[in-house]
Amino acid sequence: MRAPNAQPQPVGGLARRLAHILTTRGIEPTSTPQGGPEPVPALLAAESRIPARYRTATADHPAVAAWVRDIAAAGRPGPGGAPGIAQGRSLLIAGTTGTGKTHQAYGAVRSLIGAGVRLRWKAVTAADLYADLRPRPGHDGERELRDLARCPLLIIDDLGAAK
């Protein structure tokens, strides 16, 4: 048992080497860590916007995975050096109900963010998009459309499912 006012003592060569490394980086090895909680990684932040059933989605279809690689490779560096979406081709995922189109779309978002790509994205169903663009008092549908057009990654789900 350690005395209440005892200072921690480094043990062995490994502890001395680690203390030296910390000191050369300007970190006092005996200091107590300060600050609050660790920053939330981008993927965890994005997952709060992803529906629960797609929070573990993966882009495992070969065409979707290839698209993710192409987009990630084409990103231009932004603040902090992380690549952001600069340009790229669109991706259309088509198929019958239940084939995993939405799963692949959210998997692509997760894969891009997991690869370190800074990403502004929006997901909307076609029905919700049509409703948002419908004219009504106090709402500027044209502005909404401009905002959507400027979004680097826009997922429009269930396109063609309604009349």
Side-chain angles (χ1 to χ4, degrees):
M1 186 170 190
R2 198 168 87 181
N5 292 332
Q7 295 295 321
Q9 299 295 314
V11 179
L14 180 60
R16 282 191 296 276
R17 286 194 343 230
L18 289 174
H20 175 72
I21 291 169
L22 290 172
T23 303
T24 59
R25 294 184 180 180
I27 302 169
E28 177 57 42
T30 59
S31 67
T32 306
Q34 301 293 323
E38 294 280 326
V40 177
L43 188 55
L44 291 176
E47 285 179 356
S48 68
R49 297 176 46 209
I50 296 174
R53 68 186 291 188
Y54 301 113
R55 287 192 183 142
T56 59
T58 56
D60 52 6
H61 187 280
V64 177
W67 180 83
V68 167
R69 283 191 303 274
D70 291 347
I71 295 299
R76 65 174 175 239
I85 291 182
Q87 61 185 8
R89 58 188 173 89
S90 296
L91 176 67
L92 175 66
I93 305 173
T96 58
T97 302
T99 55
K101 300 177 297 293
T102 305
H103 179 89
Q104 290 296 320
Y106 282 111
V109 169
R110 293 184 74 250
S111 295
L112 285 169
I113 294 171
V117 176
R118 291 177 305 103
L119 183 59
R120 186 169 64 88
W121 63 279
K122 181 173 175 94
V124 64
T125 64
D128 288 342
L129 175 63
Y130 300 149
D132 286 344
L133 297 178
R134 193 168 291 122
R136 60 185 183 273
H139 178 65
D140 187 1
E142 288 183 24
R143 182 176 179 190
E144 179 78 20
L145 188 59
R146 278 193 306 272
D147 290 344
L148 289 172
R150 290 184 184 130
C151 187
L153 181 59
L154 177 62
I155 299 170
I156 304 175
D157 201 6
D158 294 333
L159 189 62
K163 288 185 179 182

